[in-house]
mmCIF file of all heavy atoms in Angstrom:
data_model
loop_
_atom_site.group_PDB
_atom_site.id
_atom_site.type_symbol
_atom_site.label_atom_id
_atom_site.label_comp_id
_atom_site.label_asym_id
_atom_site.label_seq_id
_atom_site.Cartn_x
_atom_site.Cartn_y
_atom_site.Cartn_z
ATOM 1 N N ASP A 1843 -30.852 43.979 4.284
ATOM 2 C CA ASP A 1843 -32.196 44.326 4.218
ATOM 3 C C ASP A 1843 -32.700 44.222 2.756
ATOM 4 O O ASP A 1843 -33.820 44.528 2.434
ATOM 5 C CB ASP A 1843 -32.398 45.888 4.491
ATOM 6 C CG ASP A 1843 -31.960 46.122 5.941
ATOM 7 O OD1 ASP A 1843 -32.353 45.298 6.784
ATOM 8 O OD2 ASP A 1843 -31.329 47.002 6.163
ATOM 9 N N GLU A 1844 -31.934 43.474 1.816
ATOM 10 C CA GLU A 1844 -32.306 43.415 0.367
ATOM 11 C C GLU A 1844 -32.624 42.023 -0.006
ATOM 12 O O GLU A 1844 -33.064 41.808 -1.146
ATOM 13 C CB GLU A 1844 -31.201 43.950 -0.400
ATOM 14 C CG GLU A 1844 -30.943 45.387 -0.306
ATOM 15 C CD GLU A 1844 -29.863 45.972 -1.286
ATOM 16 O OE1 GLU A 1844 -29.364 45.127 -2.125
ATOM 17 O OE2 GLU A 1844 -29.428 47.143 -1.217
ATOM 18 N N ALA A 1845 -32.560 41.099 0.912
ATOM 19 C CA ALA A 1845 -32.787 39.753 0.473
ATOM 20 C C ALA A 1845 -34.172 39.410 0.142
ATOM 21 O O ALA A 1845 -35.126 39.809 0.846
ATOM 22 C CB ALA A 1845 -32.403 38.818 1.573
ATOM 23 N N PRO A 1846 -34.482 38.770 -0.969
ATOM 24 C CA PRO A 1846 -35.900 38.343 -1.260
ATOM 25 C C PRO A 1846 -36.331 37.429 -0.175
ATOM 26 O O PRO A 1846 -35.698 36.543 0.382
ATOM 27 C CB PRO A 1846 -35.627 37.568 -2.649
ATOM 28 C CG PRO A 1846 -34.380 37.932 -3.137
ATOM 29 C CD PRO A 1846 -33.462 38.233 -2.038
ATOM 30 N N LEU A 1847 -37.725 37.682 0.158
ATOM 31 C CA LEU A 1847 -38.221 36.992 1.348
ATOM 32 C C LEU A 1847 -38.267 35.415 1.097
ATOM 33 O O LEU A 1847 -38.069 34.736 2.110
ATOM 34 C CB LEU A 1847 -39.648 37.546 1.580
ATOM 35 C CG LEU A 1847 -39.780 39.044 1.980
ATOM 36 C CD1 LEU A 1847 -41.191 39.500 2.243
ATOM 37 C CD2 LEU A 1847 -38.803 39.355 3.183
ATOM 38 N N ASN A 1848 -38.588 35.016 0.009
ATOM 39 C CA ASN A 1848 -38.710 33.487 -0.288
ATOM 40 C C ASN A 1848 -37.300 32.924 -0.018
ATOM 41 O O ASN A 1848 -37.170 31.820 0.513
ATOM 42 C CB ASN A 1848 -39.205 33.234 -1.598
ATOM 43 C CG ASN A 1848 -38.487 33.743 -2.734
ATOM 44 O OD1 ASN A 1848 -37.725 34.741 -2.629
ATOM 45 N ND2 ASN A 1848 -38.433 33.170 -3.909
ATOM 46 N N GLU A 1849 -36.196 33.500 -0.561
ATOM 47 C CA GLU A 1849 -34.879 32.952 -0.389
ATOM 48 C C GLU A 1849 -34.443 33.007 1.109
ATOM 49 O O GLU A 1849 -33.809 32.172 1.634
ATOM 50 C CB GLU A 1849 -33.814 33.716 -1.295
ATOM 51 C CG GLU A 1849 -34.161 33.392 -2.643
ATOM 52 C CD GLU A 1849 -32.985 34.092 -3.600
ATOM 53 O OE1 GLU A 1849 -31.815 33.890 -3.314
ATOM 54 O OE2 GLU A 1849 -33.408 34.807 -4.568
ATOM 55 N N ALA A 1850 -34.800 34.209 1.775
ATOM 56 C CA ALA A 1850 -34.502 34.343 3.083
ATOM 57 C C ALA A 1850 -35.226 33.129 4.031
ATOM 58 O O ALA A 1850 -34.617 32.664 4.876
ATOM 59 C CB ALA A 1850 -34.915 35.726 3.674
ATOM 60 N N ALA A 1851 -36.452 32.974 3.749
ATOM 61 C CA ALA A 1851 -37.237 31.869 4.455
ATOM 62 C C ALA A 1851 -36.585 30.554 4.349
ATOM 63 O O ALA A 1851 -36.450 29.729 5.196
ATOM 64 C CB ALA A 1851 -38.710 31.924 3.952
ATOM 65 N N ALA A 1852 -36.061 30.234 3.029
ATOM 66 C CA ALA A 1852 -35.507 28.979 2.753
ATOM 67 C C ALA A 1852 -34.224 28.877 3.554
ATOM 68 O O ALA A 1852 -33.862 27.743 4.193
ATOM 69 C CB ALA A 1852 -35.176 28.797 1.290
ATOM 70 N N LEU A 1853 -33.248 29.874 3.649
ATOM 71 C CA LEU A 1853 -32.123 29.827 4.375
ATOM 72 C C LEU A 1853 -32.242 29.694 5.872
ATOM 73 O O LEU A 1853 -31.637 29.010 6.491
ATOM 74 C CB LEU A 1853 -31.261 31.075 4.030
ATOM 75 C CG LEU A 1853 -30.653 31.137 2.603
ATOM 76 C CD1 LEU A 1853 -30.055 32.492 2.313
ATOM 77 C CD2 LEU A 1853 -29.623 30.047 2.549
ATOM 78 N N LEU A 1854 -33.301 30.439 6.355
ATOM 79 C CA LEU A 1854 -33.545 30.341 7.806
ATOM 80 C C LEU A 1854 -34.119 28.888 8.105
ATOM 81 O O LEU A 1854 -33.793 28.466 9.203
ATOM 82 C CB LEU A 1854 -34.557 31.395 8.246
ATOM 83 C CG LEU A 1854 -34.089 32.808 8.292
ATOM 84 C CD1 LEU A 1854 -35.306 33.822 8.370
ATOM 85 C CD2 LEU A 1854 -33.012 33.097 9.422
ATOM 86 N N THR A 1855 -35.002 28.418 7.255
ATOM 87 C CA THR A 1855 -35.428 27.001 7.461
ATOM 88 C C THR A 1855 -34.333 26.051 7.504
ATOM 89 O O THR A 1855 -34.348 25.194 8.281
ATOM 90 C CB THR A 1855 -36.382 26.678 6.387
ATOM 91 O OG1 THR A 1855 -37.558 27.622 6.358
ATOM 92 C CG2 THR A 1855 -36.888 25.170 6.483
ATOM 93 N N LYS A 1856 -33.293 26.167 6.668
ATOM 94 C CA LYS A 1856 -32.179 25.373 6.688
ATOM 95 C C LYS A 1856 -31.350 25.349 7.990
ATOM 96 O O LYS A 1856 -31.085 24.286 8.534
ATOM 97 C CB LYS A 1856 -31.291 25.747 5.464
ATOM 98 C CG LYS A 1856 -29.996 24.774 5.231
ATOM 99 C CD LYS A 1856 -29.207 25.216 4.135
ATOM 100 C CE LYS A 1856 -27.959 24.403 4.001
ATOM 101 N NZ LYS A 1856 -27.052 24.897 2.873
ATOM 102 N N GLU A 1857 -31.269 26.549 8.593
ATOM 103 C CA GLU A 1857 -30.593 26.634 9.792
ATOM 104 C C GLU A 1857 -31.448 25.964 10.932
ATOM 105 O O GLU A 1857 -30.813 25.251 11.919
ATOM 106 C CB GLU A 1857 -30.332 28.235 10.114
ATOM 107 C CG GLU A 1857 -29.356 28.877 9.110
ATOM 108 C CD GLU A 1857 -27.964 28.226 9.108
ATOM 109 O OE1 GLU A 1857 -27.412 27.995 10.286
ATOM 110 O OE2 GLU A 1857 -27.566 27.836 8.059
ATOM 111 N N VAL A 1858 -32.746 26.245 10.966
ATOM 112 C CA VAL A 1858 -33.683 25.690 11.902
ATOM 113 C C VAL A 1858 -33.532 24.089 11.799
ATOM 114 O O VAL A 1858 -33.346 23.301 12.827
ATOM 115 C CB VAL A 1858 -35.099 26.093 11.709
ATOM 116 C CG1 VAL A 1858 -35.993 25.368 12.747
ATOM 117 C CG2 VAL A 1858 -35.195 27.687 12.057
ATOM 118 N N LEU A 1859 -33.633 23.566 10.701
ATOM 119 C CA LEU A 1859 -33.569 22.052 10.529
ATOM 120 C C LEU A 1859 -32.278 21.488 10.875
ATOM 121 O O LEU A 1859 -32.257 20.324 11.393
ATOM 122 C CB LEU A 1859 -34.082 21.661 8.985
ATOM 123 C CG LEU A 1859 -35.422 21.982 8.589
ATOM 124 C CD1 LEU A 1859 -35.401 21.801 7.118
ATOM 125 C CD2 LEU A 1859 -36.338 21.007 9.341
ATOM 126 N N ALA A 1860 -31.179 22.310 10.719
ATOM 127 C CA ALA A 1860 -29.899 21.732 11.193
ATOM 128 C C ALA A 1860 -29.699 21.874 12.600
ATOM 129 O O ALA A 1860 -28.633 21.402 13.212
ATOM 130 C CB ALA A 1860 -28.792 22.529 10.333
ATOM 131 N N GLY A 1861 -30.608 22.523 13.325
ATOM 132 C CA GLY A 1861 -30.373 22.594 14.721
ATOM 133 C C GLY A 1861 -29.627 23.724 15.184
ATOM 134 O O GLY A 1861 -29.322 23.905 16.386
ATOM 135 N N ARG A 1862 -29.160 24.682 14.204
ATOM 136 C CA ARG A 1862 -28.366 25.762 14.634
ATOM 137 C C ARG A 1862 -29.264 27.048 15.105
ATOM 138 O O ARG A 1862 -28.722 27.886 15.837
ATOM 139 C CB ARG A 1862 -27.484 26.201 13.340
ATOM 140 C CG ARG A 1862 -26.479 25.156 13.064
ATOM 141 C CD ARG A 1862 -25.530 25.723 11.997
ATOM 142 N NE ARG A 1862 -26.180 25.672 10.687
ATOM 143 C CZ ARG A 1862 -26.093 24.721 9.811
ATOM 144 N NH1 ARG A 1862 -25.470 23.577 10.206
ATOM 145 N NH2 ARG A 1862 -26.624 24.748 8.649
ATOM 146 N N LEU A 1863 -30.528 26.988 14.771
ATOM 147 C CA LEU A 1863 -31.421 28.006 15.245
ATOM 148 C C LEU A 1863 -32.569 27.235 15.827
ATOM 149 O O LEU A 1863 -33.048 26.221 15.276
ATOM 150 C CB LEU A 1863 -31.936 28.909 14.209
ATOM 151 C CG LEU A 1863 -30.856 29.817 13.470
ATOM 152 C CD1 LEU A 1863 -31.554 30.618 12.370
ATOM 153 C CD2 LEU A 1863 -30.122 30.702 14.370
ATOM 154 N N LYS A 1864 -33.167 27.758 16.958
ATOM 155 C CA LYS A 1864 -34.214 27.180 17.649
ATOM 156 C C LYS A 1864 -35.448 28.054 17.760
ATOM 157 O O LYS A 1864 -35.438 29.151 18.137
ATOM 158 C CB LYS A 1864 -33.844 26.816 19.094
ATOM 159 C CG LYS A 1864 -34.845 25.986 19.882
ATOM 160 C CD LYS A 1864 -34.392 25.483 21.154
ATOM 161 C CE LYS A 1864 -35.318 24.500 21.901
ATOM 162 N NZ LYS A 1864 -36.665 24.953 21.995
ATOM 163 N N LEU A 1865 -36.729 27.457 17.236
ATOM 164 C CA LEU A 1865 -37.902 28.178 17.408
ATOM 165 C C LEU A 1865 -38.492 27.852 18.822
ATOM 166 O O LEU A 1865 -38.776 26.674 19.049
ATOM 167 C CB LEU A 1865 -38.941 27.639 16.219
ATOM 168 C CG LEU A 1865 -38.578 27.950 15.002
ATOM 169 C CD1 LEU A 1865 -39.530 27.269 13.872
ATOM 170 C CD2 LEU A 1865 -38.476 29.480 14.615
#
Side-chain angles (χ1 to χ4, degrees):
D1843 300 315
E1844 294 181 6
L1847 295 180
N1848 58 336
E1849 293 184 50
L1853 287 169
L1854 290 171
T1855 300
K1856 183 179 177 184
E1857 296 300 308
V1858 171
L1859 290 172
R1862 292 186 287 269
L1863 298 181
K1864 186 176 187 305
L1865 298 174

